[in-house]
Amino acid sequence: MDSLGYGAFPTHPGEILKDELEARNIPQRKFAEYIGISYSSLNDMLNGHSALTTTMALKFEAALNIPADSLMRLQAKYDLQTARTDKSLAHKLKEIACRAALL
């Protein structure tokens, strides 16, 4: 899993986990109930509408034997790649770099 998320487009961990559930023929509703979260929370995360939390990553690890730290690295990489495409943030970062050069 370490190589995931390093492409031109960020890979949300939900994409990987959704594929994994589908490959194992595990229905989302049943899985959500099994790991003790709401279906809507699971579905939002699997579809990239919310971030994977550490608690959720540990639950996936316990249920599917996918290392939580690999999932969290994927989430961090996704967050960084997404932030880098934020034009407003890019402008602020450029200003910070210019100011820092004067220190």
Side-chain angles (χ1 to χ4, degrees), residues 21-84:
L21 290 177
E22 289 173 1
R24 295 181 190 207
N25 294 315
I26 302 172
Q28 288 183 25
R29 287 190 189 279
K30 186 175 182 178
F31 189 76
E33 182 180 325
Y34 180 73
I35 66 171
I37 64 172
S38 71
Y39 166 74
S40 61
S41 293
L42 176 64
N43 188 264
D44 284 349
M45 192 280 301
L46 293 178
N47 289 306
H49 301 299
S50 64
L52 176 73
T53 65
T54 54
T55 299
M56 212 181 280
L58 289 168
K59 289 180 178 188
F60 273 100
E61 180 180 74
L64 301 175
N65 199 32
I66 299 172
D69 60 328
S70 294
L71 294 172
M72 293 308 299
R73 280 194 300 275
L74 190 57
Q75 181 66 55
K77 186 69 175 176
Y78 175 83
D79 292 343
L80 284 168
Q81 286 179 297
T82 301
R84 286 187 173 117

